Amino acid sequence: QVQLVESGGGLVQAGGSLRLSCAVSGRTFNSYAMGWFRQAPGKEREFVASIGWGGGRTLYADSVKNRFFITRDKAKNTVYLQMNSLKPEDTANYYCAADSAYLSVYDRDFRSWGQGTQVTVSS
């Protein structure tokens, strides 16, 4: 069993930055891929970024490529999502996901989820 707790969301102006954190506890942190997804009001949950168990491989949605960066700190059992050049369309509840056997963009591949942290970008 893997437990996830997200933090770092908030209100920011367009063009600003935020860093989301996902603290992981439970099963060995280094044995699975992790990801970030988001869901805006009235929309389906969508993939944002994912990172392999070793941290060397990453995937990004086209909409966030070169603006968002996912990293993982093995010593702290934490995954981060650095979000730069934020846009109003980035406004959503952001969810950390874990326990995928491989690097994936599909939410069905991740077996553990956090409660989410709200990110609001004002224009």
Side-chain angles (χ1 to χ4, degrees):
Q1 189 73 11
V2 176
Q3 292 81 42
L4 309 173
V5 178
E6 302 103 330
S7 61
L11 173 64
V12 64
Q13 288 189 332
S17 299
L18 282 175
R19 188 177 78 159
L20 305 183
S21 300
C22 176
V24 182
S25 60
R27 201 160 58 83
T28 306
F29 179 68
N30 296 334
S31 64
Y32 45 79
M34 297 191 63
W36 287 94
F37 291 75
R38 68 186 182 186
Q39 187 168 20
K43 295 187 177 181
E44 293 188 354
R45 186 165 59 189
E46 64 175 3
F47 169 74
V48 176
S50 59
I51 187 167
W53 67 268
R57 296 179 62 207
T58 55
L59 293 173
Y60 295 94
D62 287 343
S63 60
V64 306
K65 204 169 290 184
N66 299 319
R67 297 191 299 123
F68 290 12
F69 301 95
I70 185 171
T71 56
R72 64 193 298 169
D73 185 329
K74 297 176 184 180
K76 296 182 178 180
N77 283 2
T78 300
V79 172
Y80 302 98
L81 184 68
Q82 178 66 43
M83 304 186 295
N84 302 323
S85 302
L86 282 160
K87 304 175 181 180
E89 50 264 44
D90 293 320
T91 295
N93 205 8
Y94 283 70
Y95 296 91
C96 178
D99 205 8
S100 173
Y102 43 83
L103 196 60
S104 176
V105 303
Y106 300 109
D107 56 4
R108 62 175 180 263
D109 292 327
F110 294 85
R111 288 172 283 190
S112 299
W113 292 82
Q115 293 300 307
T117 184
Q118 178 68 35
V119 171
T120 302
V121 185
S122 62
S123 56

